[in-house]
Amino acid sequence: MQVATGREVHVPIGADVTLRLASRTYIADFALPQLGLRDFAAPDLPSELHFRADREGRYDVRGDELCGRPHTDKTRGWLVVEDAAAYRVWMHERARETNQ
Amino acid sequence: MSRSARPYKVTGLIAVAVVVGLASVAVFRRQPLASAPVAVPSSTNVYVPADVARPDWVAGRRSAQLASATSISAPHNFQFADGVDASGITTRLVNSMDLGKYYKATHYDHGTAVAVADVDGDGALDLFFVNQAAPNALYRNLGGGRFEDITARAGVAVGDRACVGASFADIDNDGDADLFVTAVREGNLLFLNDGHGTFTNVTANAGVGGTGGHSSGSVFFDYDGDGLLDLFVTNVGKYTQEERYPDGLWRSFGDAFAGHLHAERSEVSILYHNVGGARFATVTTPSGLVHSAWSGDATAFDYDADGRPDLYVPSMQGHDELWQNRGAGRFEKIGRKIFPATPWGAMGVKVLDWNGDGRLDLFVTDMHTDMATNLLPEEEKKKHDPATMFPPRFLATDGNHVLGNALFTNRGGGKFEELSDAANVETGWPWGPSAGDLNADGWPDLVIGAGMNYPFRYAGNNVLLNDGGKRFADAEFILGVEPRRDVTQPWFELDCDGSDVMQDICQGEIRPHMTNDLRSPSERGQVAARHGHVTVWAARASRSAVIADFDNDGDLDVVTNNYGGVPQVLMSDLASRGPVHFLTVQLVGQRSNRDAIGAVVTVQAGGRAQVQVNDGKSGYLAQSVMPLYFGLGSATQADSIKVTWPTGREQVVRESLQSGNRVVIRE
């Protein structure tokens, strides 16, 4: 199933997760600091991050251009790790919105 | 154009696909606007980001540094004052539109040179300012801190290409300073001096126009000891697309700083052998010196003191490299062996004997490591946190790096010890390093052109006073170099009811943002759309700086080249506060190249020896022809001057070494 979402994405606890990063224009920095994950994507230079989230929670996702420019410390997005049932609900809601 | 609200534009984004058990995919996308920005009457006609206009940290740092002055043993009771208004220097460094209206992170941001030579043989040091989107400027020194613009009659304006570096050197050994200018893609230029400050473009005949690369710093050195200066030209790498802006400059890639990850964007730097008659032969491949890293400057550096000049080439996106001169016109890459850990984002380099042990050390500034995160003022004196360094895949190296400036201290036998933190030479956003004895105490001090312009906060230049060869003391505020007179300046103009209506700032952005920013406008701090004529302001910053005695009063002055504005002409008042003991040494090669580039000079005075290499390097992207300056401290004369010429021959002078003399030593 493929769905579209905004600044929040959910994954089920215990699942093997692959994050595929891509950027059309700039060098995009991507970090999930609480999970110790950081990588970047640039045009023609996509990347993948692999992890398994073992603990439920709402984790900060930080993305910015990889150039040290000033930005606020506001969270840019969130990764929500939740149980399988909650994840299925979220996916179905996103699927319904995506198809509308 | 009506004053109605406008929808927010989206021109790009980062997509994050999440694959869970290979069954589901979610994709981040920009949230649609809940509502468009609300239009307001025309009152936002000047845009000055708050953190640019009011750098709150400046006052605190100034206070702290002034309080620290009591702990500095080196003389520091003197001041610099910016004399640009009275100097007659009016050139303005115009930057690429990639650094303003169409901002993107690009190597255009790396600055342009300021170089020094006595171009007309009148005994005073003249100044050449390199420009990016406007003609270059050559100023003749009239004395007393006054200059006149002689660009037009000198014939070195160029103006049809983005110039970057400048190197003065006597390439035909006729006794005057010739000039090599590098440029982005349009070809480099060699100008022969007629001895009176009028130059002739001899590029085509000389064969040094280059390969159409993104050229940057260049270094004259005599690698084969034949008495003719050879030339190494750095090519950064392809950071521009096949499209020009209205000003004629090439438009940068949006991902210019990922260039080192694209093999097809690499460019090989060029080694030219001077074959006489103002002609050069390209010897890059046969010499073995095939350098394709992303490098913008270089310096000759006889690291092993074997008499053959080696070449240290900083890399702005990777490991620095050391090319060992093996003789017979051959070079070998030995960087990882001699310097296993180097900065990752190195910009400038300067050879000096900072600790007075008679061995030549290497100071390297690291700019790009400071871009791994948003550098805060309180972080400028610290090495970068390894935990927040660029991802390994972006570094594309073995990861063994000095995370900031490096001070490679020569322990002899080809061994170096990195002492940047112990010596207190870590700085923020550094570009070009210069060394000179600002307080004439016999120890070389450092000046670093530093800072970022739009859209970053203000950060100042650095002055590091050498405290007796033990450490350096921060002194830019103590000496009046910082804060500069104005920390902000107008940067570019927008017509928010016309052609620039879709520009982010017209759309109401508080600060420029990247199109992959996933925050909502309100989270980013977007305000109402702006209308009318908007002047966008930015922080002032320097890139290159040169140290010399421009008013011939016996102390060293500093001149900087600054994006978007006029230079700083920082005149020292050291000589007006009391007697300054110093010597200048001018070398005239006979069998060696006439500029004696590569000679090592040792001055014995006051019970100790000072060593300087005559490499012409002062600042960044530049090479100059000027006498060496030796502060003598309390000694009123030197005991001896020993010159080790590039030929290897030694010559000792013991006469006429009273303070204030210019000692001309002929080989």
Side-chain angles (χ1 to χ4, degrees):
Chain A
M1 187 187 304
Q2 178 163 322
V3 302
T5 185
R7 292 182 295 110
E8 181 174 301
V9 66
H10 293 217
V11 298
I13 190 168
D16 292 325
V17 178
T18 298
L19 292 175
R20 291 181 180 152
L21 312 179
S23 175
R24 288 181 192 165
T25 48
Y26 301 99
I27 310 168
D29 191 10
F30 179 90
L32 266 160
Q34 292 154 291
L35 301 182
L37 297 172
R38 186 184 180 194
D39 206 346
F40 75 98
D44 302 322
L45 293 171
S47 71
E48 287 189 349
L49 286 170
H50 305 275
F51 69 98
R52 178 182 293 175
D54 293 327
R55 192 181 303 176
E56 287 189 18
R58 183 178 170 88
Y59 300 96
D60 291 347
V61 173
R62 296 185 181 181
D64 216 323
E65 191 193 12
L66 194 74
C67 76
R69 296 195 331 157
H71 54 76
T72 68
D73 289 331
K74 291 180 179 177
T75 300
R76 309 291 158 76
W78 299 273
L79 178 83
V80 176
V81 179
E82 59 193 0
D83 64 41
Y87 171 71
R88 278 194 296 274
V89 169
W90 181 83
M91 280 296 286
H92 282 107
E93 288 176 353
R94 296 289 81 70
R96 192 172 63 246
E97 290 179 3
T98 303
N99 294 327
Q100 281 179 349
Chain B
M1 173 63 66
S2 72
R3 292 187 177 280
S4 60
R6 298 179 287 261
Y8 193 75
K9 69 182 176 108
V10 176
T11 57
L13 77 168
I14 180 174
V16 182
V18 183
V19 181
V20 180
L22 302 178
S24 306
V25 177
V27 179
F28 281 126
R29 69 182 178 192
R30 182 185 293 280
Q31 293 278 58
L33 293 181
S35 61
V38 177
V40 296
S42 179
S43 59
T44 54
N45 61 349
V46 176
Y47 170 77
V48 185
D51 61 343
V52 171
R54 294 185 296 278
D56 296 335
W57 59 270
V58 171
R61 183 175 298 179
R62 178 175 182 274
S63 298
Q65 196 175 102
L66 294 179
S68 74
T70 55
S71 66
I72 302 174
S73 301
H76 53 270
N77 186 27
F78 64 106
Q79 291 282 295
F80 289 91
D82 190 353
V84 68
D85 292 342
S87 71
I89 294 173
T90 58
T91 184
R92 285 184 172 272
L93 175 47
V94 180
N95 45 274
S96 160
M97 298 171 90
D98 272 339
L99 304 184
K101 191 169 174 178
Y102 306 117
Y103 179 82
K104 54 181 67 73
T106 167
H107 302 75
Y108 276 125
D109 200 19
H110 289 192
T112 63
V114 51
V116 171
D118 174 11
V119 300
D120 55 356
D122 66 356
L125 294 172
D126 310 306
L127 280 161
F128 183 66
F129 295 95
V130 179
N131 215 312
Q132 189 167 76
N136 305 316
L138 178 61
Y139 283 90
R140 177 173 172 263
N141 192 337
L142 302 173
R146 295 275 306 162
F147 295 80
E148 69 167 324
D149 187 342
I150 60 167
T151 311
R153 74 170 190 252
V156 291
V158 191
D160 62 350
R161 65 199 74 187
C163 294
V164 183
S167 292
F168 280 113
D170 186 356
I171 64 110
D172 51 1
N173 290 336
D174 66 351
D176 55 39
D178 309 303
L179 176 62
F180 184 72
V181 179
T182 65
V184 176
R185 295 183 65 166
E186 312 290 345
N188 306 318
L189 298 157
L190 179 63
F191 298 94
L192 274 190
N193 190 343
D194 69 353
H196 304 287
T198 299
F199 293 80
T200 302
N201 184 343
V202 297
T203 308
N205 193 53
V208 291
T211 52
H214 298 65
S215 296
S216 186
S218 58
V219 181
F220 284 103
F221 70 129
D222 182 8
Y223 71 79
D224 59 348
D226 64 355
L228 295 168
L229 286 171
D230 310 303
L231 175 63
F232 180 73
V233 182
T234 58
N235 282 329
V236 174
K238 184 173 172 54
Y239 57 82
T240 60
Q241 310 178 52
E242 302 306 311
E243 181 183 340
R244 294 180 191 262
Y245 284 122
D247 63 6
L249 269 62
W250 297 96
R251 177 181 174 184
S252 298
F253 287 117
D255 64 339
F257 285 115
H260 63 293
L261 303 176
H262 293 272
E264 74 280 7
R265 294 190 198 171
S266 73
E267 295 175 343
V268 176
S269 296
I270 307 172
L271 181 66
Y272 295 103
H273 180 229
N274 189 335
V275 296
R279 296 172 66 91
F280 292 77
T282 302
V283 295
T284 309
T285 301
S287 71
L289 206 168
V290 182
H291 184 90
S292 57
W294 284 60
S295 297
D297 211 347
T299 188
F301 176 45
D302 185 5
Y303 90 97
D304 52 1
D306 68 351
R308 289 194 291 256
D310 312 298
L311 202 64
Y312 189 93
V313 190
S315 172
M316 61 183 76
Q317 287 157 240
H319 270 298
D320 297 353
E321 193 53 80
L322 177 66
W323 291 92
Q324 184 186 32
N325 186 338
R326 302 300 302 256
R330 295 285 302 171
F331 287 82
E332 182 181 348
K333 185 192 293 192
I334 60 167
R336 296 287 61 68
K337 178 180 167 190
I338 305 301
F339 302 102
T342 72
W344 183 85
M347 289 296 158
V349 59
K350 182 69 188 104
V351 178
L352 75 163
D353 176 15
W354 80 271
N355 58 356
D357 65 358
R359 290 188 284 258
L360 292 170
D361 313 305
L362 202 60
F363 177 53
V364 181
T365 51
D366 183 345
M367 173 65 195
H368 276 169
T369 291
D370 282 347
M371 309 307 284
T373 55
N374 175 28
L375 184 73
L376 302 174
E378 59 270 27
E379 296 171 334
E380 290 178 6
K381 295 297 292 183
K382 301 174 186 171
K383 286 288 186 293
H384 200 88
D385 180 355
T388 59
M389 186 51 179
F390 293 116
R393 198 169 62 92
F394 190 75
L395 296 178
T397 65
D398 61 8
N400 189 16
H401 294 290
V402 180
L403 299 184
N405 297 343
L407 184 61
F408 293 118
T409 303
N410 194 335
R411 297 306 192 198
K415 304 288 186 190
F416 292 82
E417 185 178 2
E418 203 291 292
L419 292 177
S420 57
D421 286 336
N424 187 43
V425 294
E426 184 56 43
T427 59
W429 291 338
W431 298 97
S434 298
D437 191 356
L438 300 176
N439 51 11
D441 67 346
W443 296 94
D445 310 299
L446 293 169
V447 173
I448 305 172
M452 292 291 290
N453 304 103
Y454 182 81
F456 292 81
R457 68 173 171 86
Y458 180 74
N461 293 324
N462 299 96
V463 179
L464 296 161
L465 281 184
N466 190 327
D467 220 354
K470 298 180 178 65
R471 62 185 289 278
F472 289 84
D474 301 305
E476 59 273 4
F477 289 95
I478 294 168
L479 300 180
V481 170
E482 290 292 335
R484 64 181 77 198
R485 188 170 48 196
D486 299 304
V487 298
T488 61
Q489 63 190 331
W491 196 250
F492 59 89
E493 310 287 329
L494 293 172
D495 176 7
C496 285
D497 289 332
S499 59
D500 300 316
V501 64
M502 295 305 292
Q503 216 274 354
D504 292 340
I505 290 170
C506 294
Q507 292 277 326
E509 292 291 344
I510 292 289
R511 69 171 78 247
H513 79 294
M514 303 314 296
T515 49
N516 56 25
D517 191 333
L518 296 168
R519 292 169 297 163
S520 69
S522 61
E523 286 173 325
R524 290 196 305 271
Q526 187 173 5
V527 297
R530 295 182 172 88
H531 293 281
H533 180 84
V534 172
T535 300
V536 180
W537 288 58
R540 291 184 190 272
S542 301
R543 297 296 186 275
S544 51
V546 65
I547 300 175
D549 182 5
F550 290 106
D551 53 359
N552 202 29
D553 65 352
D555 57 35
L556 291 175
D557 312 301
V558 179
V559 173
T560 67
N561 203 4
N562 307 316
Y563 269 131
V566 296
Q568 291 168 288
V569 182
L570 298 165
M571 306 304 291
S572 170
D573 69 359
L574 180 71
S576 68
R577 292 175 179 247
V580 176
H581 301 146
F582 72 100
L583 284 177
T584 58
V585 178
Q586 181 178 348
L587 304 178
V588 180
Q590 302 290 340
R591 288 181 55 203
S592 304
N593 67 87
R594 199 175 191 286
D595 285 341
I597 296 291
V600 176
V601 178
T602 304
V603 170
Q604 194 76 38
R608 56 179 290 264
Q610 299 179 53
V611 177
Q612 292 187 40
V613 62
N614 181 40
D615 60 7
K617 290 292 287 184
S618 184
Y620 169 57
L621 307 169
Q623 194 170 18
S624 298
V625 178
M626 51 188 179
L628 298 173
Y629 178 98
F630 289 87
L632 300 179
S634 58
T636 56
Q637 66 175 40
D639 302 318
S640 67
I641 300 175
K642 183 179 81 174
V643 181
T644 304
W645 296 92
T647 58
R649 179 170 172 260
E650 291 187 353
Q651 185 173 348
V652 179
V653 176
R654 301 185 192 278
E655 298 173 348
S656 302
L657 303 185
Q658 291 80 17
S659 170
N661 284 359
R662 171 179 286 202
V663 183
V664 179
I665 303 175
R666 298 180 187 277
E667 185 179 18

